[in-house]
Amino acid sequence: MSTVENASPADEGAPAEAAGIAAQDWATASTSPQYRAAVVDLLGALAYGELAAFERLAEDAKLAPTLGDKAELAKMASAEFHHFERLRDRLAAIDEDATAAMEPFAKGVDDFHRQTAPSDWLEGLVKAYVGDSIASDFYREVATHLDTDTRGLVVSVLDDTGHGGFAVEKVRAAIEADPRCGGRLALWARRLMGEALSQAQRVVAERDALSTMLVGGVDGMAAGFDLAAVGEMFTRITKAHTKRMAALGLAA
C-alpha cells in the first residue's frame, strides 16, 4: 500500500489524545453510562457499515470484467464480513445485542448506498476506494477519543481490505486507456465525497451520546474537543480525500 492509502487524517494535525477516557481501559471507562452508550452506538454503526460493505462488494463483483477481478472483490467482501463478525462479537462480549445496536443506523447506511449505486465497474471501484475511505477517516478520528480497548478494535477493523491498491491500479489503467472517462469519474468521486460527509455528520447529529463525546461531554469524555475541533476534523478528512483523488489520477 502507498502512504496515501494508509494515511489517516488523524495522523496529520489532529489534536493530541485527550487524557481521561482515552487513557483508560474499557472496564474503567464504561462505568460512565453516557460513554458506554456512545461506544455501543459507534460499534453498532461500524458493524452495520461493515455488513453493508460486504453485501455491496459481493454485488459489485457481478460487474467485474474478468474472473480474476471477480475473485478479488469476493476476497474483499469476505474481509468486510470478518470485520462485522468481530464487532458483533465485541458487542456480545459487553452484553449488548448487535442487532439492536445496528438498527438505528441501518436506514441511513442503506439510503447512502441507494443514492450512490454505481452504474458500472469503474464507478464501483471509485466508490469502494473514495467512499469507504472517507467513512474510515471519520471513524479513525473518533477512535482517538475512545478507551484503549475499544480504540484498538476500531482501528483494526478499519484496516484496508485491499481494495485501495486494487482500485488505484484499475482506475489509473482505465484512464490511461481512455482519458475521457477521467472527467466522469472525477464528478462521481466529488458526489461521493459530499454524500459520505453528509452521512458522517448525520450519524453524529442524530445520536446524542456520540455527539456529546465529540464536542466534549461529561465525565472527561473527549476533554477539550469542541465544535471548532469538529470542523477541523472534517477539514482533515477533506484533505485526505484530495490526496486519494490524486492517487486515482482524478482532479479533486
Side-chain angles (χ1 to χ4, degrees):
M1 292 296 163
S2 71
T3 53
V4 171
E5 290 152 27
N6 285 329
S8 165
D11 299 328
E12 300 177 8
E17 256 180 27
I21 293 288
Q24 298 172 8
D25 61 12
W26 169 252
T28 304
S30 62
T31 58
S32 162
Q34 190 165 21
Y35 177 74
R36 182 184 179 91
V39 169
V40 172
D41 273 352
L42 179 64
L43 296 182
L46 274 171
Y48 192 75
E50 296 289 350
L51 185 59
F54 158 72
E55 293 178 320
R56 191 196 72 242
L57 285 170
E59 187 68 20
D60 287 353
K62 297 177 183 178
L63 301 173
T66 71
L67 286 176
D69 292 334
K70 188 185 294 288
E72 190 67 25
L73 256 66
K75 182 175 72 175
M76 295 174 198
S78 176
E80 299 285 12
F81 190 76
H82 178 60
H83 289 166
F84 159 74
E85 290 180 313
R86 292 185 62 194
L87 292 160
R88 178 200 61 195
D89 293 347
R90 176 59 178 167
L91 284 162
I94 62 173
D95 299 320
E96 297 288 343
D97 180 74
T99 300
M102 291 189 293
E103 187 63 37
F105 307 99
K107 183 180 185 302
V109 172
D110 290 346
D111 286 346
F112 169 75
H113 287 305
R114 185 164 48 250
Q115 293 161 2
T116 58
S119 62
D120 61 22
W121 163 249
L122 289 175
E123 286 189 2
L125 288 179
V126 171
K127 180 179 176 180
Y129 182 52
V130 172
D132 289 359
S133 294
I134 292 168
S136 293
D137 287 346
F138 168 70
Y139 287 119
R140 283 193 183 93
E141 291 275 0
V142 175
T144 63
H145 304 280
L146 297 172
D147 66 272
T148 55
D149 298 318
T150 306
R151 183 166 65 246
L153 171 63
V154 169
V155 170
S156 68
V157 300
L158 293 175
D159 283 346
D160 181 27
T161 58
H163 58 245
F166 181 75
V168 168
E169 176 187 349
K170 296 294 182 178
V171 171
R172 291 187 75 96
I175 293 173
E176 184 176 347
D178 181 9
R180 293 173 300 176
C181 74
R184 173 176 67 87
L185 293 177
L187 289 173
W188 171 244
R190 291 188 201 111
R191 179 185 167 192
L192 290 170
M193 173 69 175
E195 295 285 356
L197 284 180
S198 294
Q199 172 66 16
Q201 290 164 343
R202 283 194 296 270
V203 166
V204 174
E206 293 174 2
R207 305 300 293 179
D208 290 343
L210 273 179
S211 60
T212 299
M213 183 174 69
L214 279 175
V215 300
V218 298
D219 299 317
M221 291 197 302
F225 195 53
D226 56 19
L227 288 172
V230 173
E232 292 168 2
M233 174 185 73
F234 282 110
T235 296
R236 289 192 295 274
I237 292 172
T238 301
K239 288 180 179 178
H241 166 75
T242 301
K243 289 184 178 180
R244 291 192 182 96
M245 291 283 281
L248 288 169
L250 302 175

